[in-house]
Amino acid sequence: MGLDVTERDTRVIQSSEDIVAVRQTVRMWAIKLGFSLIDQTKIVTAASDLARNTVDHAGGGTMSLETLEDGRSCGLRVTFEDKGPGIEDVELALKDGYTTGTGLGLGLGGAKRLSNEFEIISHPGEGTRVSIVRWP
């Protein structure tokens, strides 16, 4: 049985205020899907880190949320897209401690660990797309 997308929403993120809104929106969707407090915290934390990366490293972008159904349960996909500088070496960027900014270098790797599914596509000079999925 395949995946069905049952609900979708897209938001622009460009500022710290938008990052707060990302956390609130992702938590609201996770609650609506019946996620446990632990699963809510995991996807909200991952989304917050990815939103911060989108603002800090690319000057902003978009976040899309999608409710997924696989016939047994409902999951949440959160995708961040930007037209920023892209990531030269994705494998290196996923390593804890690596950063091109002033942070701790835990965002991408942490988001990957907090997600059930993780996909990153980045092209230097064109931008980055990161998609995470959490199932309850």
Side-chain angles (χ1 to χ4, degrees):
M1 180 164 258
L3 288 178
D4 292 320
V5 175
T6 57
E7 190 174 352
R8 181 177 283 133
D9 187 22
T10 300
R11 310 275 173 106
V12 172
I13 51 173
Q14 297 179 313
S15 67
S16 293
E17 291 79 17
D18 294 331
I19 296 168
V20 172
V22 163
R23 287 194 293 264
Q24 294 168 339
T25 302
V26 171
R27 183 169 304 280
M28 182 181 68
W29 280 51
I31 290 169
K32 186 168 72 170
L33 291 172
F35 280 29
S36 69
L37 183 57
I38 290 170
D39 286 328
Q40 290 173 38
T41 302
K42 287 179 177 181
I43 195 158
V44 168
T45 301
S48 180
D49 287 346
L50 295 173
R52 171 68 56 202
N53 282 353
T54 302
V55 170
D56 288 353
H57 297 286
T62 60
M63 172 191 71
S64 299
L65 298 107
E66 297 173 304
T67 301
L68 306 174
E69 287 187 22
D70 68 356
R72 294 169 291 158
S73 62
C74 292
L76 181 58
R77 178 187 297 143
V78 187
T79 303
F80 294 87
E81 291 187 75
D82 66 63
K83 301 290 185 205
I87 300 170
E88 193 73 40
D89 186 338
V90 171
E91 193 173 316
L92 180 61
L94 285 167
K95 291 187 181 196
D96 287 347
Y98 176 80
T99 181
T100 58
T102 59
L104 298 174
L106 300 172
L108 280 177
K112 182 176 183 178
R113 286 189 297 277
L114 292 168
S115 305
N116 298 121
E117 299 172 29
F118 179 92
E119 178 184 53
I120 182 168
I121 300 168
S122 188
H123 301 287
E126 296 178 25
T128 302
R129 181 180 186 271
V130 181
S131 182
I132 58 172
V133 177
R134 185 83 203 166
W135 295 94

